[in-house]
Amino acid sequence: MERRGIGVFDSGLGGLTVVKELRKLLPNEKIIYFGDTARVPYGSKSKKVIVKYSKEITNFLMTKNIKIIVIACNTATAMALEEIKNMVDIPVVGVIKPGSRRAVRTTTNNNIGIIGTTATIGSNSYYNEVKNINKNINVYQKACPLFVPLIEEGLLEDSVTYEMANRYLNGVKGKVDTLVLGCTHYPLIKKTIKKIVGENVILIDSAEETAIEVRDILYSKRLLRNDEGEESDFFVSDMPKKFEEIGKIFLGTDLKEAKYIDIESYSGENN
């Protein structure tokens, strides 16, 4: 019987949107989640630092008897996916390819917008992925560095969030029919984004597509769990109580106790 869990990590709370979709699609699976709340946001940090953080988290997750790793962070996916794949002998899934495929399937006018952190946009990961699928699509990118801290402060429908969104989205408004939310935090401010870009623009949340990819991989490798699942475990690098309070907004339900982990103690290479 396959009882190993699904390891999921993010720079903070945003990856809980992926957990939510995984729970819907794979209710029997145990999820082990790590949120790097001490070092959020990742979007303004260098590739070297993000790779270091991602390796530490991977080392930690590998101590939890997992069968697959989901990098539920666009920035970490853009910067560290290949390094993590080379570290471990289990499947590793990021959020950029699933989201890009969904966007290409969705657009009708071949104009796609991508919003994300400074690091994600700077990496051109979404741009390149979309162009690899269909080189004729026009891609408009915009970094939105203040969204993550505003969301993590719980300012989801605050006037300051609306003002920043209006500034950031001015360049894509009226040009695109599909907008990729290139950060797992951004679905929490869908209402605000919709007010600015218009109801006709379709917002792509890669969490759903990522969950489908995880299901398909586990099915193909005969790793799906068939008996009733266990409670998910949540770990953070700082402020577990705050994580629990805000986390329920992301999950749409209460989450069990989050446990503090000294993540830097996992800096040694995974064997």
Side-chain angles (χ1 to χ4, degrees), residues 7 14 36 40 50 66 127 141 163 174 190 208 226 229 233 240-241:
D36 199 0
V40 70
I50 293 164
I66 58 172
Y127 179 93
Q141 300 189 98
E163 174 59 27
K190 276 182 180 178
E208 183 180 343
N226 294 317
D233 289 333
K241 290 302 178 187

Side-chain angles (χ1 to χ4, degrees), residues 84-212:
I84 301 308
K85 283 183 175 180
N86 291 333
M87 277 180 69
V88 298
D89 58 0
I90 59 174
V92 181
V93 175
V95 288
I96 289 175
K97 282 189 177 182
S100 299
R101 288 197 297 264
R102 178 74 173 268
V104 172
R105 289 200 306 267
T106 300
T107 185
T108 57
N109 69 2
N110 281 357
N111 292 303
I112 291 174
I114 313 284
I115 57 174
T117 66
T118 301
T120 297
I121 299 301
S123 74
N124 280 323
S125 296
Y126 272 105
Y127 179 93
N128 293 334
E129 196 61 43
V130 168
K131 288 289 189 179
N132 283 339
I133 300 169
N134 184 344
K135 65 181 181 181
N136 295 318
I137 287 179
N138 300 310
V139 182
Y140 301 87
Q141 300 189 98
K142 180 63 180 178
C144 306
L146 290 179
F147 277 173
V148 169
L150 287 169
I151 292 166
E152 297 243 331
E153 286 300 319
L155 302 174
L156 304 182
E157 296 187 40
D158 192 88
S159 60
V160 69
T161 304
Y162 180 88
E163 174 59 27
M164 291 314 305
N166 198 37
R167 291 189 189 189
Y168 287 148
L169 298 170
N170 191 53
V172 300
K173 187 167 53 178
K175 295 179 180 176
V176 304
D177 71 345
T178 305
L179 181 66
V180 178
L181 307 181
C183 174
T184 48
H185 284 68
Y186 295 0
L188 271 292
I189 55 170
K190 276 182 180 178
K191 286 183 181 177
T192 298
I193 292 170
K194 274 280 193 183
K195 284 179 185 176
I196 293 163
V197 299
E199 289 298 321
N200 292 331
V201 174
I202 297 173
L203 304 185
I204 302 298
D205 173 1
S206 59
E208 183 180 343
E209 290 295 305
T210 301
I212 292 169

Side-chain angles (χ1 to χ4, degrees), residues 231-242:
E231 285 276 345
S232 297
D233 289 333
F234 298 92
F235 300 90
V236 294
S237 52
D238 195 23
M239 301 180 74
K241 290 302 178 187
K242 182 179 178 183

